Amino acid sequence: GGLASIFSQGTLSIDGTISAGATPLPTEIAGVWVEINGLRAPLLVVSSVDGQDQINLQVPWETPTGPGAATIDVYDRGDLVATFDADSYTEDPGIFTYRGYALAIRNANGRLVGADNPVSPGDVIILYTTGLGPVSVDVPNGVPAPGDPLAYTADPFDAVVFGEHCEVLFSGLAPGFTGLYQLNLRLPYDLPLGDLEIQISTPYAASGIAKLPVE
């Protein structure tokens, strides 16, 4: 159900970057498709620029989990151009970043968090992530998450900033988006100022560390 990217060199025959024009997401763009254990994955972007290829996709919800459990086949105009096995996990949380900071929206003004829009202690933020695993609502592959009812994560997630636990107000799929998760967090009131480390986790897996500007 989460998002993933495939990188290669000189694999695809297209030239440029082509994005999915609408949802539900297509399973083929410009003659390119990806099968994961024989099931076509919804595609967001297919790109080949100066021989550097990238495919952004949603991993189908049905993908089995375990070491090497996902067999990934890449096709270009009917030809199998790449095949490999990848590990697959029920939960593998990751925090998106933008311009060096965690990708988040500050509720106080509805703007992206950054050097010119830092958060303050006690703020509520929306943190954008992926790989948070199963949710409470069945959402078909490639289809945006619903807003009513909300799709909550099956497991609770914790968020820690500068070693302090945040109040988690919501953890689940971001309504209106495909494969994107969000955590609505209230930051601790006693945070120091500066570029602080933020990490999310369950008892089973933890994300990498991102930066959050606090002033």
Side-chain angles (χ1 to χ4, degrees), residues 7 41 103 114 121 125 127 130 184:
F7 298 94
L103 181 61
I125 66 169
L127 179 70
T130 193
N184 295 14

Side-chain angles (χ1 to χ4, degrees), residues 12-158:
L12 304 180
S13 63
I14 68 166
D15 184 18
T17 299
I18 305 172
S19 301
T23 53
L25 295 176
T27 57
E28 181 177 338
I29 295 178
V32 175
W33 73 86
V34 177
E35 294 182 2
I36 302 182
N37 293 78
L39 185 64
R40 287 198 183 193
L43 305 180
L44 290 88
V45 175
V46 173
S47 177
S48 183
V49 178
D50 297 329
Q52 303 298 312
D53 307 328
Q54 182 173 343
I55 302 172
N56 295 348
L57 56 85
Q58 181 193 24
V59 180
W61 290 100
E62 299 88 343
T63 302
T65 57
T71 298
I72 302 173
D73 298 317
V74 180
Y75 291 85
D76 186 342
R77 303 185 189 280
D79 296 326
L80 178 64
V81 295
T83 184
F84 59 97
D85 294 332
D87 297 341
S88 176
Y89 301 99
T90 302
E91 297 166 355
D92 189 14
I95 299 173
F96 287 108
T97 58
Y98 178 72
R99 295 184 177 178
Y101 293 106
L103 181 61
I105 288 177
R106 186 181 178 200
N107 267 18
N109 56 23
R111 293 170 48 208
L112 284 175
V113 171
D116 61 344
N117 185 39
V119 300
S120 299
D123 272 357
V124 173
I125 66 169
I126 300 173
L127 179 70
Y128 289 106
T129 68
T130 193
L132 304 194
V135 292
S136 59
V137 177
D138 288 331
V139 183
N141 294 322
V143 173
D148 185 15
L150 291 170
Y152 291 84
T153 56
D155 289 324
F157 271 79
D158 187 23

Side-chain angles (χ1 to χ4, degrees), residues 167-190:
E167 180 185 0
V168 179
L169 306 173
F170 171 72
S171 170
L173 290 174
F177 294 91
T178 301
L180 182 68
Y181 293 77
Q182 71 180 57
L183 273 72
N184 295 14
L185 308 173
R186 184 179 299 280
L187 301 176
Y189 286 94
D190 57 350

